[in-house]
């Protein structure tokens, strides 16, 4: 985080961009569900994300940008496997089995538990800083998401509901553990996750009798997956790097509103009082988070790590010769104490009394 930029930049735009892309993928996927098996579509979306990001990864190497981000280290592999298991395989599987055993209304409402699980784990397990403003903002965003999904049919707590709740918990764990990888190359991580999870779900769907759609529909699903899953995940990971898990998860919870807004444009749905009320709640929650100014004197302990960075007040080390920015290499932070607005990013994960 540079002193030359607002503490909101670039974390907040990245987190909001992730929400916009993922939210837009929901109504676009709905257009495809009429002709593609749901489980098969889940595999195609993730596989499209993985293949698309593999092309991006290769293109960066061809133009000499492969050294901008830190590569995955051997110590990252266990975290990556766990993230793929919880977020790419277990979460979608629990969701598919849950949706097959409960109503669509209950499923839509329960999916909002992902944001709550993400923030609760970040605050209670990983001890991220939280105050009344953040709690109120997060509550407003989540209430808006619930209101947006509510159709008056109520919530049925059956076996399917428990499975969907388990999926949301799996994604909440996934989001928090992904923070462990946020200093590494997000394109490489999202690529591996997409390829592994997509291939697994695709193979399972085909083994259960699903058939592949036409080339045109396959390409459409791959494009939606590349943008709505792949690029969205890259933005989410970059948001984690700058904002921490709870705040990134709160901004990401705006995705249902984005999806509903696009649905109105695509399906010519009516703008209802329910939609406007949900939008006002989410706008209030967003404002509460944007207005946050966490500013106090804090101490940086000595730290050694590798990640993409520019030279600023947190990166004042020297190089043997000229360098371009941003760049990535192993570097050391000397102990320092200062005061400025900050989020729980890579360099501000200190405790609070």
């Amino acid at each position: 985080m540079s002193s030359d930029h607002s503490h909101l930049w670039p974390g907040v735009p990245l987190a909001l961009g992730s929400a916009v892309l993922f939210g837009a993928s929901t109504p676009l996927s709905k257009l495809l569900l009429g002709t593609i098996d749901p489980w098969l579509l889940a595999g195609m979306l993730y596989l499209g994300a993985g293949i698309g990001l593999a092309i991006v990864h290769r293109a960066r190497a061809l133009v000499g940008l492969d050294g901008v981000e830190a590569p995955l280290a051997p110590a990252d592999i266990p975290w990556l496997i766990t993230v793929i298991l919880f977020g790419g395989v277990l979460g979608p599987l629990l969701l598919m089995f849950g949706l097959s055993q409960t109503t669509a209304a209950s499923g839509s409402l329960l999916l909002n538990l992902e944001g709550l699980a993400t923030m609760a784990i970040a605050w209670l397990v990983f001890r991220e800083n939280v105050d009344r403003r953040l709690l109120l903002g997060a509550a407003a965003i989540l209430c808006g998401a619930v209101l947006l999904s509510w159709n008056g049919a109520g919530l049925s707590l059956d076996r399917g509901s428990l499975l969907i709740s388990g999926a949301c918990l799996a994604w909440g764990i996934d989001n928090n553990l992904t923070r462990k990888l946020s200093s590494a190359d997000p394109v490489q991580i999202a690529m591996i996750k997409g390829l592994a999870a997509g291939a697994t779900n695709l193979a399972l769907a085909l083994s259960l009798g699903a058939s592949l759609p036409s080339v045109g529909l396959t390409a459409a699903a791959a494009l939606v997956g590349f943008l709505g899953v792949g690029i969205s995940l890259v933005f989410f990971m970059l948001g984690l790097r700058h904002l921490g898990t709870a705040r990134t998860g709160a901004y990401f919870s705006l995705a249902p509103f984005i999806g509903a807004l696009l649905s109105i444009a695509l399906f010519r749905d009516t703008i209802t009082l329910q939609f406007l009320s949900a939008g006002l709640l989410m706008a209030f929650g967003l404002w509460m988070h944007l207005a946050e100014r966490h500013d106090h004197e804090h101490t940086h302990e000595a730290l050694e790590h590798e990640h993409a960075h520019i030279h600023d007040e947190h990166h004042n080390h020297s190089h043997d010769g000229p360098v371009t920015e941003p760049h990535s290499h192993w570097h050391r932070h000397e102990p320092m104490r200062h005061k400025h607005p900050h989020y729980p990013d890579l360099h501000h994960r200190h405790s609070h009394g």
Side-chain angles (χ1 to χ4, degrees), residues 25-26 35 95 131 144 170 199 219 260 290 297 324 328:
S25 71
T26 302
T35 50
L95 176 62
D131 56 23
L290 291 175
E297 192 172 44
T324 58
S328 177

Side-chain angles (χ1 to χ4, degrees), residues 11-229:
V12 171
L14 287 166
L16 290 176
S18 177
V20 168
L21 288 171
F22 185 78
S25 71
T26 302
L28 294 176
S29 296
K30 184 177 179 180
L31 289 174
L32 297 169
L33 277 174
T35 50
I36 303 177
D37 176 81
W39 201 335
L40 182 66
L41 179 59
M44 294 171 69
L45 291 174
Y46 271 85
L47 203 56
I51 293 172
L53 291 175
I55 295 173
V56 172
H57 185 60
R58 179 58 180 164
R60 288 188 310 175
L62 293 176
V63 297
L65 295 177
D66 51 333
V68 171
E69 291 284 351
L72 280 168
D76 295 327
I77 302 303
W79 294 113
L80 179 60
I81 293 173
T82 307
V83 162
I84 291 172
L85 177 63
F86 276 96
V89 178
L90 186 59
L93 281 178
L94 288 173
L95 176 62
M96 292 301 165
F97 283 118
L99 286 176
S100 68
Q101 300 180 47
T102 192
T103 64
S106 293
S108 297
L109 283 171
L110 286 164
L111 283 175
N112 293 305
L113 290 175
E114 179 186 350
L116 183 61
T118 297
M119 288 180 275
I121 293 171
W123 288 330
L124 299 177
V125 178
F126 293 98
R127 314 302 294 177
E128 279 195 15
N129 169 255
V130 58
D131 56 23
R132 291 179 181 177
R133 174 183 291 273
L134 287 175
L135 282 174
L136 182 59
I141 292 172
L142 288 172
C143 285
V146 170
L147 179 60
L148 198 64
S149 306
W150 184 263
N151 68 354
L155 185 63
S156 174
L157 296 178
D158 51 18
R159 182 181 177 186
S161 299
L162 292 176
L163 290 170
I164 295 175
S165 299
C168 292
L169 178 60
W171 281 320
I173 294 171
D174 166 37
N175 292 336
N176 277 274
L177 295 185
T178 297
R179 180 180 175 178
K180 299 286 187 179
L181 304 169
S182 61
S183 61
D185 183 358
V187 172
Q188 185 183 21
I189 294 169
M191 174 190 72
I192 296 172
K193 183 177 182 179
L195 291 173
T200 300
N201 285 326
L202 189 70
L204 288 171
L206 292 175
S207 68
L208 292 174
S211 57
L212 290 173
S214 66
V215 175
L217 287 174
T218 299
L223 180 60
V224 172
F226 171 60
L227 296 173
V229 176

